[in-house]
């Protein structure tokens, strides 16, 4: 039956409903040559459990994006936060799409996807020092106009209270070090005024930051950020592959501590696992990347479900107006090689997505678990070294485990 075409295109999504914006981080590195820092799927041949259930794919294909939208919204993820990279040599200059790294996920895929109306999106400005930073003039004259024209004004960009949300990843403090706290707040306030002139009610800035230090938190908000969030799990104890029961309790403990210390302006992130083994290569070591074995940890889908449930219980107890009552974040949709993903895979099927659906939604839909190859669709890999799996049965897919 697997060579018979049973559908002309990706079946239309049937979104589940819920009370939260469930925002999953999205790493676009799966167009051949786009990542530059690694080899994408070609680094994963020895890790068949990390093979996506649709097979290796060319991420710039809008049909691939429509499958991702369908699987996400049918399980409660209703927003993708796309990593946004500016090339270092473009810093301080006018921006075009050609000046970006891995922009295909938005400009080639999502913006041409048939089902994009079902999925909200936002961008996370990746400001680590290998990518372009900014200052007040550049933010005002180059970044904000580009973001406004290309993203914020689109119908499905993430708004809170009529304000576009910009996520910022500044772990190396490239943005912070370009400003004093007063200067950064003033620059952000200029951006808010600019957004108001464009018809919005302002702007919201969110920083990836795991600090428990009250003084550091105060500095973040003095700089004009509206709330904080985590990317992956901020481990307290670095030990390779700790027992799952310990990781489950650590995850809960970290969430509870953040919420207790910063209840109004911290939004929780649920994480499934983290294992960067494919990136721990000589090439990456030579580039200065630090992927040590002691960072590796796993939660089974059932333990992940318990974390999601606990996150919901904490969110329900937050004060009115707290950002954590609106947004729950998921890390990550598709970090296949860095080793944290909830997207359907040969190793875990849809189990992580099912945990999200069953704990964070009303479960008022019927997800469609037919795979592209079962409908006679596919052929999404024209670039990667191994062939795609069009025509392969579900039984054979799971034999890859």
């Amino acid at each position: 039956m697997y060579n018979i075409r049973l559908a002309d295109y990706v079946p239309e999504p049937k979104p589940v409903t819920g009370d939260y914006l469930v925002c999953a981080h999205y790493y676009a590195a799966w167009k051949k040559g786009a990542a530059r820092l690694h080899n994408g799927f070609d680094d994963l041949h020895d890790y068949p459990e990390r093979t996506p259930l649709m097979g290796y794919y060319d991420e710039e294909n809008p049909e691939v994006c429509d499958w991702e939208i369908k699987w996400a919204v049918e399980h409660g993820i209703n927003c993708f936060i796309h990593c946004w990279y500016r090339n270092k040599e473009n810093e301080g200059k006018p921006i075009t799409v050609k000046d970006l790294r891995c922009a295909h996920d938005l400009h080639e895929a999502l913006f041409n996807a048939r089902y994009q109306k079902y999925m909200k999106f936002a961008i996370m400005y990746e400001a680590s020092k290998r990518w372009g930073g900014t200052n007040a003039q550049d933010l005002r004259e180059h970044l904000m106009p580009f973001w406004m024209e290309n993203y914020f004004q689109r119908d499905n960009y993430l708004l809170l209270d009529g304000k576009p949300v910009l996520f910022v990843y500044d772990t190396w403090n490239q943005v912070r070090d370009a400003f004093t706290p007063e200067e950064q707040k003033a620059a952000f306030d200029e951006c808010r005024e600019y957004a108001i002139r464009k018809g919005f009610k302002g702007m919201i800035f969110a920083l990836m930051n795991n600090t428990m230090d009250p003084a550091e938190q105060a500095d973040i908000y003095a700089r004009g950020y509206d709330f904080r969030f985590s990317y992956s799990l901020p481990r307290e104890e670095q030990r390779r592959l700790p027992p799952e029961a310990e990781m489950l309790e650590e995850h809960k403990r970290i969430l509870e501590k953040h919420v207790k210390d910063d209840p109004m302006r911290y939004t929780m992130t649920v994480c499934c696992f983290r294992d960067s083994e494919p990136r721990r290569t000589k090439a990456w070591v030579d580039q200065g990347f630090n992927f040590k074995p002691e960072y590796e940890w796993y939660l089974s889908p059932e333990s992940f479900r318990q974390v999601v449930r606990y996150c919901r219980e904490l969110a329900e107890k937050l004060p009115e107006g707290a950002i954590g009552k609106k947004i729950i974040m998921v890390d990550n949709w598709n970090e296949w090689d860095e080793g944290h993903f909830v997207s359907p895979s040969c190793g875990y099927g849809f189990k992580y997505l099912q945990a999200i659906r069953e704990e964070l939604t009303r479960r008022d839909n019927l997800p469609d678990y037919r795979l592209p190859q079962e409908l006679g669709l596919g052929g999404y890999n024209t670039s990667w070294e191994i062939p795609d799996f069009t025509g392969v049965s579900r039984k054979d897919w799971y034999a890859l485990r």
Side-chain angles (χ1 to χ4, degrees):
M1 82 180 260
Y2 294 99
N3 292 319
I4 300 173
R5 192 173 178 88
L6 300 179
D8 294 326
Y9 194 72
V10 182
E12 187 153 359
K14 296 181 173 61
V16 69
T17 65
D19 295 325
Y20 299 100
L21 279 164
V22 182
C23 302
H25 291 288
Y26 189 107
Y27 175 57
W30 316 110
K31 175 181 178 178
K32 185 77 168 184
R36 287 183 268 166
L37 296 178
H38 55 88
N39 298 312
F41 287 128
D42 287 338
D43 287 335
L44 300 181
H45 300 329
D46 294 332
Y47 305 88
E49 73 281 357
R50 300 191 186 204
T51 305
L53 273 185
M54 74 172 81
Y56 289 179
Y57 53 81
D58 299 319
E59 192 174 40
E60 67 271 28
N61 185 341
E63 189 169 333
V64 168
C65 183
D66 277 326
W67 276 110
E68 293 185 308
I69 291 170
K70 176 179 176 62
W71 288 334
V73 301
E74 290 187 348
H75 291 86
I77 294 174
N78 44 34
C79 180
F80 281 148
I81 302 173
H82 293 254
C83 297
W84 189 90
Y85 304 87
R86 178 191 203 179
N87 292 331
K88 190 70 174 177
E89 58 270 22
N90 178 251
E91 189 172 309
K93 301 175 184 178
I95 306 169
T96 70
V97 175
K98 293 181 180 180
D99 298 309
L100 306 180
R101 172 187 182 251
C102 292
H104 60 273
D105 59 326
L106 293 170
H107 294 269
E108 297 179 50
L110 179 62
F111 296 165
N112 293 296
R114 184 180 298 183
Y115 302 137
Q116 61 181 287
K117 66 181 180 180
Y118 290 106
M119 175 64 74
K120 294 185 181 298
F121 80 99
I123 59 170
M124 181 166 71
Y125 175 27
E126 296 272 359
S128 60
K129 290 186 178 179
R130 69 179 66 92
W131 311 117
T134 193
N135 57 35
Q137 180 179 353
D138 176 68
L139 181 62
R140 179 177 62 249
E141 296 180 3
H142 301 140
L143 286 177
M144 275 298 292
F146 184 86
W147 291 337
M148 182 64 67
E149 179 181 351
N150 287 274
Y151 311 127
F152 299 161
Q153 292 180 325
R154 297 187 72 90
D155 290 341
N156 59 333
Y157 194 84
L158 176 63
L159 306 180
L160 290 178
D161 302 321
K163 305 171 186 178
V165 182
L166 178 74
F167 297 88
V168 179
Y169 190 90
D170 190 32
T171 56
W172 291 359
N173 297 323
Q174 182 172 214
V175 172
R176 188 200 69 179
D177 292 347
F179 305 85
T180 66
E182 294 78 14
E183 289 169 344
Q184 189 167 357
K185 184 179 184 304
F188 282 1
D189 285 344
E190 282 191 60
C191 293
R192 293 181 173 99
E193 290 298 323
Y194 177 81
I196 290 171
R197 292 196 299 272
K198 292 293 184 177
F200 296 102
K201 295 182 179 180
M203 275 280 297
I204 291 176
F205 294 88
L207 180 67
M208 200 299 294
N209 182 275
N210 297 317
T211 185
M212 301 285 190
D213 182 353
E216 187 175 345
Q217 290 180 18
D219 179 74
I220 289 166
Y221 299 129
R223 290 176 176 274
Y225 286 103
D226 296 282
F227 67 90
R228 298 185 301 121
F229 64 96
S230 295
Y231 183 86
S232 196
L233 179 66
R235 295 282 307 283
E236 292 181 324
E237 180 185 356
Q238 299 301 329
R239 179 158 52 97
R240 186 175 188 269
L241 295 175
E244 183 174 337
E246 289 186 19
M247 279 307 306
L248 173 60
E249 293 308 311
E250 182 177 355
H251 205 331
K252 290 181 178 180
R253 184 170 63 251
I254 290 171
L255 287 172
E256 185 177 24
K257 189 172 182 180
H258 274 294
V259 167
K260 181 179 178 180
D261 289 349
D262 193 8
M264 296 301 294
R265 295 190 286 192
Y266 179 81
T267 187
M268 292 173 285
T269 301
V270 292
C271 310
C272 49
F273 49 86
R274 182 70 178 259
D275 183 353
S276 300
E277 173 68 28
R279 290 194 181 182
R280 200 158 52 249
T281 64
K282 183 179 184 302
W284 279 71
V285 171
D286 290 345
Q287 293 182 67
F289 291 91
N290 183 21
F291 291 104
K292 295 182 179 180
E294 58 262 32
Y295 290 97
E296 297 171 0
W297 59 274
Y298 281 87
L299 290 181
S300 67
E302 181 51 42
S303 292
F304 176 75
R305 178 191 302 275
Q306 293 183 52
V307 171
V308 177
R309 182 183 305 147
Y310 188 69
C311 184
R312 186 196 70 222
E313 292 170 353
L314 289 175
E316 290 171 348
K317 297 175 184 177
L318 286 171
E320 289 302 317
I323 186 66
K325 289 186 83 74
K326 300 177 182 179
I327 295 178
I328 292 175
M329 301 177 76
V330 177
D331 179 60
N332 186 290
W333 176 257
N334 60 345
E335 274 278 17
W336 299 109
D337 60 345
E338 197 172 74
H340 42 128
F341 51 86
V342 299
S343 184
S345 66
C346 285
Y348 300 104
F350 287 80
K351 293 178 182 177
Y352 288 104
L353 288 181
Q354 289 167 335
I356 293 169
R357 177 181 177 272
E358 291 170 16
E359 298 298 334
L360 294 182
T361 78
R362 297 187 181 91
R363 293 176 276 180
D364 54 359
N365 71 333
L366 186 63
D368 183 351
Y369 291 112
R370 294 174 296 173
L371 302 178
Q373 58 271 23
E374 294 175 316
L375 297 176
L377 300 173
Y380 303 132
N381 173 17
T382 63
S383 303
W384 305 101
E385 291 181 10
I386 68 170
D388 67 27
F389 293 89
T390 304
V392 178
S393 71
R394 185 186 294 261
K395 178 181 178 182
D396 290 339
W397 268 83
Y398 280 97
L400 287 171
R401 298 175 65 185

